Amino acid sequence: MEKKRIFSGIQPSGALTIGNYLGALKNWAQLIDEYDCIFSVVDLHAITVRQDPKELNERCLGLIAQYIACGIDPEKCTIFIQSHVPAHAELSWILNCYTYMGELERMTQFKDKSSRHADNINAGLFTYPVLMAADILLYQADLVPVGHDQKQHLELCRDVAERFNRIYDDTFKIPEGYIAKMGARVMDLQNPEKKMSKSEPAGSIALLEDIASVTKKIKRAQTDSLGYVKFEEGRHGINNLISIYGAVTRKTADEIENEFQGKGYGDFKKAIAEALVAELEPIQAKYQELMNNKDYLKSVYTSGADRAREIADETIRKVHQKIGYIER
Ligand code: AQP
């Protein structure tokens, strides 16, 4: 039986955080045996916010290395850079013509990002979800691992695909969201009502963060004055630390509560820092090793793009035919 296909990507818009790791990469590594996984470094998405060219360039390569260092074996899946497959931009334009302004105006991420980047509310920021739909539909993906904040975009992707299919017969597979068994939503350590984000380094821990700084940041993480470790409504700081510890150690909230019964936040934070450091150290070592072998990294992303292009071009050919374009 053919494996189901999964597509996902991460923007090279800053240093990857433990949010990206615990919410995406750690879970992706578990999927590569069971599914036909296609993982992209979505650099076209990243320029919806202004990027420094040199940093962007370095980050793209760094992301490829971090994917592999997190256990995403390129022998078992496809890893590529989005801008290396022109079909993403091409399908995105086409789908723009099948997406309504009203649909895009409802996207909460657009509202959020345009308020954070009020000096650069560009059209790309507005049509970001259309590019995301193109990313997914190009590969006829069955499943898309989505975090909470991307659910609305996936819904839009399904609506646009269904609309296109209604007009022209079946063209796109309608993707489903994939909810990871151990998916964590990691919140900002200083402001735990907000998601941990690459663009807010103060409350984040980077995947490549200096080890001493990991411990320091966990020690300083916001908690409350109650003094006991229990997952409870409204305790954003403690709930976040429980979910980070749980995602790293694969323990349930119940197990964690039992482990720290009668103990204070000091012991809890020490255990979290130790577990995180033990998890991050080998990843960082592997990353350094990979970054010393740029030829290997290049071979990964070029062969990844070759495979991605093959699948994507087939979808573009089909779409052109349905629309009525003359064959190339
Ligand atoms: N805090 C998080 N907790 C769990 N999962 C997270 N992801 C991101 N942050 C968390 C997951 O990582 C994947 C890639 O996300 P992305 O980089 O493409 O976009 P994003 O979600 O917008 O990430 P950032 O860090 O917030 O980027 P910026 O700061 O550039 O806007 C997704 O699977 C996401 O769910």
Side-chain angles (χ1 to χ4, degrees):
M1 214 172 74
E2 242 179 61
K3 286 180 176 177
K4 286 198 169 179
R5 185 170 291 156
I6 282 187
F7 177 90
S8 201
I10 299 185
Q11 299 183 70
S13 51
L16 289 190
T17 70
I18 58 164
N20 296 118
Y21 174 65
L22 298 173
L25 291 167
K26 189 173 161 92
N27 296 316
W28 292 1
Q30 309 288 315
L31 302 173
I32 53 179
D33 287 314
E34 197 179 333
Y35 298 95
D36 173 13
C37 291
I38 302 182
F39 296 129
S40 183
V41 171
V42 289
D43 55 350
L44 298 178
H45 285 277
I47 62 162
T48 52
V49 172
R50 203 70 74 225
Q51 304 291 337
D52 175 83
K54 187 167 174 284
E55 280 176 20
L56 179 64
N57 186 290
E58 285 163 3
R59 260 194 241 121
C60 285
L61 192 68
L63 237 66
I64 299 279
Q66 285 169 82
Y67 282 12
I68 303 170
C70 288
I72 299 164
D73 180 353
E75 297 293 323
K76 295 183 179 174
C77 65
T78 301
I79 298 177
F80 76 103
I81 297 171
Q82 188 186 25
S83 63
H84 292 186
V85 180
H88 287 258
E90 203 176 342
L91 185 61
S92 177
W93 169 256
I94 292 172
L95 296 181
N96 265 318
C97 303
Y98 298 84
T99 307
Y100 300 120
M101 297 287 285
E103 288 177 307
L104 293 173
E105 273 158 1
R106 282 198 292 275
M107 297 293 119
T108 52
Q109 194 184 72
F110 171 69
K111 291 182 204 162
D112 171 50
K113 286 212 169 167
S114 50
S115 70
R116 282 196 280 138
H117 303 279
D119 55 336
N120 181 22
I121 306 178
N122 58 71
L125 199 60
F126 188 63
T127 59
Y128 178 110
V130 183
L131 178 58
M132 182 172 149
D135 298 339
I136 299 165
L137 300 176
L138 269 180
Y139 299 99
Q140 308 286 354
D142 297 280
L143 296 166
V144 187
V146 275
H148 183 261
D149 49 321
Q150 296 289 347
K151 271 193 192 146
Q152 203 186 19
H153 291 168
L154 180 63
E155 270 315 304
L156 179 75
C157 167
R158 290 166 53 89
D159 289 346
V160 173
E162 276 166 2
R163 182 172 306 142
F164 196 97
N165 284 354
R166 257 196 317 276
I167 302 172
Y168 300 107
D169 299 337
D170 273 357
T171 308
F172 298 118
K173 186 168 275 178
I174 307 298
E176 304 278 345
Y178 177 89
I179 310 291
K181 288 184 200 93
M182 298 297 290
R185 181 164 158 80
V186 181
M187 309 306 279
D188 189 285
L189 296 174
Q190 290 309 321
N191 182 2
E193 290 186 59
K194 244 187 62 212
K195 169 183 102 131
M196 185 180 284
S197 193
K198 291 186 220 86
S199 44
E200 308 282 342
S204 311
I205 293 178
L207 194 57
L208 302 176
E209 184 111 17
D210 171 68
I211 291 302
S213 163
V214 172
T215 308
K216 216 184 287 166
K217 283 189 173 173
I218 291 292
K219 265 194 194 148
R220 286 192 193 143
Q222 204 191 89
T223 50
D224 51 38
S225 55
L226 295 175
Y228 59 90
V229 177
K230 192 166 172 43
F231 199 99
E232 283 172 337
E233 182 78 30
R235 299 183 68 192
H236 303 293
I238 283 296
N239 293 349
N240 188 33
L241 292 178
I242 292 176
S243 84
I244 292 174
Y245 188 59
V248 175
T249 59
R250 297 302 198 202
K251 288 178 185 166
T252 64
D254 278 351
E255 286 167 340
I256 296 169
E257 285 164 17
N258 285 335
E259 189 179 340
F260 293 96
Q261 209 167 24
K263 293 184 183 161
Y265 293 160
D267 289 332
F268 183 39
K269 285 181 166 180
K270 187 163 172 276
I272 301 170
E274 281 170 6
L276 252 183
V277 167
E279 182 101 354
L280 298 185
E281 266 178 340
I283 294 175
Q284 296 185 357
K286 181 77 188 161
Y287 167 80
Q288 290 306 340
E289 185 191 315
L290 288 161
M291 288 301 279
N292 286 330
N293 193 349
K294 302 243 165 60
D295 288 345
Y296 169 69
L297 293 176
K298 187 170 182 188
S299 75
V300 167
Y301 68 70
T302 45
S303 61
D306 287 345
R307 172 164 191 251
R309 226 177 277 118
E310 224 171 88
I311 305 169
D313 287 349
E314 178 57 28
T315 300
I316 287 286
R317 201 190 51 75
K318 196 169 162 188
V319 167
H320 278 201
Q321 193 188 33
K322 299 270 178 164
I323 293 177
Y325 290 158
I326 290 178
E327 208 176 323
R328 288 174 187 168

